Amino acid sequence: MNTPYGKKVFISHSSKDKTFARLIATDLVEAGHNPWLDEWRIKVGESIPRSISIALKESEYVLVILSKNSIESKWVQEEWYSKYWDEIEAGMVKVIPILIEKCQIPELLKTKKYADFRGGYSRAFKELLFALN
């Protein structure tokens, strides 16, 4: 999964949106990127919070899959919050919202353009790839 030129991308999602998270992760690998998806990277017996913390520090971007499920998830909120502050300090995009269904967008993400997957996967995925380059 490691590629010399691809971006390290953490995929923040609710476990209820796992099917979409797997799809986007698989397509990111095909596009030459290095996505971090919990079920691919955390081994049995490893500390889940520690693994997530390390992955967030090492990732260049956090993709936040926005859905009714993820908005209610404290885990998802904590994951993207941690990278959001890095974004402010660096003055560079680090958090990329991905909208998969109509939901209440968190206040700190409302001003960001999101990849809108509600109207078609292919077009939105191309926009996401453009943002990662």
Side-chain angles (χ1 to χ4, degrees), residues 92-106:
M92 297 171 54
V93 172
K94 302 280 185 182
V95 178
I96 300 174
I98 293 176
L99 190 62
I100 63 170
E101 67 182 13
K102 185 176 180 179
C103 62
Q104 182 67 39
I105 297 175

